[in-house]
Amino acid sequence: PQALLLSWDENLSPKLDALSGILALEPSCLGAFLMKNKSILGMSLEKNLMPKLTFFSSTELRLPPGMLAKQLLKRPRVLNLSLSGRIVPRIERVISADLSLSSFSDWSFLELNDEDFQTWWSVVVEPARQQALRRGREQGTDELRTLQLKSVRSGQLRKSKA
């Protein structure tokens, strides 16, 4: 593996320190996290990994304590996505729709390709949001919690494309 060629002092240790510090992961969880996405070890800490971790841990996203670690443990490949090309635009869309990122129990929407994301948004998120707003619930979070990407995987996305 390529990770064996990396310097401990210059490469691995700083990344492990950053991940364990920001995500507050125990060593065993950190090891499991890295096993799910070994490419993190090859990322530039300054140019790639830290900007993403800083963005996700920013106060503007208002994530409850532990949610970032929980989401990234579920989907560590989110850190492989482009910050400016994928992560920020989608999270800005969530926020601009008056939704909270913490209302999504699964951040798999970040990993969808653009076409599937648009379909997921129009088939799952927007109808739930509109229904919640009609009912007067703030931000539509109750319906969104129940409609997660599971509805897309269960065929709702495929049916809408047909």
Side-chain angles (χ1 to χ4, degrees), residues 22-23 50 52-61 63 68:
I22 292 173
L23 300 178
M50 280 308 294
K52 291 173 187 173
L53 291 173
T54 301
F55 173 76
F56 279 123
S57 59
S58 69
T59 56
E60 294 84 40
L61 295 184
L63 296 176
L68 176 58

Side-chain angles (χ1 to χ4, degrees), residues 39-51:
S39 64
I40 290 172
L41 295 175
M43 289 181 183
S44 165
L45 180 63
E46 296 79 22
K47 294 179 183 176
N48 198 331
L49 192 56
M50 280 308 294

Side-chain angles (χ1 to χ4, degrees), residues 15-154:
K15 286 178 188 162
L16 295 176
D17 289 344
L19 287 167
S20 64
I22 292 173
L23 300 178
L25 296 175
E26 296 293 322
S28 61
C29 288
L30 184 58
F33 176 73
L34 292 171
M35 290 303 294
K36 291 180 181 179
N37 189 2
K38 297 173 189 92
S39 64
I40 290 172
L41 295 175
M43 289 181 183
S44 165
L45 180 63
E46 296 79 22
K47 294 179 183 176
N48 198 331
L49 192 56
M50 280 308 294
K52 291 173 187 173
L53 291 173
T54 301
F55 173 76
F56 279 123
S57 59
S58 69
T59 56
E60 294 84 40
L61 295 184
R62 291 180 255 135
L63 296 176
M67 184 172 189
L68 176 58
K70 179 182 172 185
Q71 291 296 338
L72 292 180
L73 283 169
K74 278 190 212 175
R75 301 203 164 274
R77 295 198 185 279
V78 164
L79 292 175
N80 295 12
L81 302 172
S82 166
L83 183 61
S84 62
R86 173 81 59 96
I87 296 169
V88 171
R90 291 193 180 175
I91 290 177
E92 284 178 346
R93 185 162 182 190
V94 166
I95 291 169
S96 71
D98 291 326
L99 301 171
S100 167
L101 191 59
S102 63
S103 67
F104 293 87
S105 64
D106 185 331
W107 288 359
S108 53
F109 68 92
L110 292 172
E111 295 177 296
L112 293 172
N113 66 41
D114 289 341
E115 181 182 351
D116 287 346
F117 175 77
Q118 294 297 355
T119 302
W120 172 77
W121 187 269
S122 62
V123 170
V124 177
V125 177
E126 195 55 38
R129 183 176 163 272
Q130 292 301 321
Q131 182 180 18
L133 291 173
R134 280 193 298 276
R135 290 184 180 156
R137 290 196 184 131
E138 183 180 343
Q139 297 182 350
T141 56
D142 291 339
E143 281 82 3
L144 288 172
R145 283 188 182 110
T146 61
L147 285 175
Q148 295 307 313
L149 192 58
K150 293 175 187 173
S151 60
V152 174
R153 289 192 179 131
S154 69

